[in-house]
Amino acid sequence: MDTGLLLLRVALAALLLGHAAQKSLGRFRGAGLEGSATMFHALGFRPARPMVVAASLSETAGAALVLLGAATPLGSAIVCGTMVVAAAANADKGLWAHHGGYEVALTYGLIAAALAFTGPGAYSVDAVLGLAAPPFWVGACAVVVGAVAATPLLLRRRALLRRSESAG
């Protein structure tokens, strides 16, 4: 089980780091900061450039914590919250990624949530500190904190989109 949790953490962290690098640095055929800012603006996340930076930093911080298995519930909460925002931005396109949907964000968020409940396993900083097997309530709190942290951003986005629709 510990090897499986390590593999899951490494895979999730690598994908999140790549996703952040696409957004902020233009790596892996990504749009980079300016291209991502244009997309964020169109999606209603304003001011767009700082939002891209915040999203990239959140993905990077969450990925680093998950990868190391350090403060895993916190890392999971960061990833869950970031992925709630990403999923909401693509919800109108449906589930499947080939239509621009939220499939990827949902998958990353669910993996992070699962890690919040299971803990990172024996091959982790948390295990060295005796924190590798969190109680159920810690996992539940991580998921709730992630969702609650996403809420103000989503409410602001909704208000900005409504304002744009009524002005245009």
Side-chain angles (χ1 to χ4, degrees), residues 36-167:
S36 295
T38 300
M39 179 186 65
F40 271 46
H41 183 84
L43 291 170
F45 295 108
R46 299 174 193 141
R49 190 180 173 121
M51 295 299 235
V52 172
V53 171
S56 295
L57 290 174
S58 295
E59 289 169 353
T60 300
L65 292 172
V66 165
L67 177 64
L68 296 171
T72 301
L74 175 60
S76 294
I78 293 169
V79 173
C80 285
T82 305
M83 293 304 113
V84 164
V85 173
N90 296 311
D92 62 331
K93 297 174 187 125
L95 174 63
W96 302 112
H98 73 282
H99 290 293
Y102 59 93
E103 173 186 5
V104 172
L106 177 65
T107 301
Y108 293 174
L110 288 173
I111 292 169
L115 288 168
F117 284 99
T118 64
Y123 310 123
S124 66
V125 171
D126 286 352
V128 171
L129 299 174
L131 304 170
F136 175 85
W137 67 268
V138 171
C141 284
V143 172
V144 169
V145 164
V148 168
T151 301
L153 184 58
L154 294 174
L155 291 173
R156 175 177 164 74
R157 173 183 178 254
R158 185 169 74 180
L160 288 170
L161 287 173
R162 282 188 178 160
R163 247 186 264 148
S164 293
E165 288 171 0
S166 64

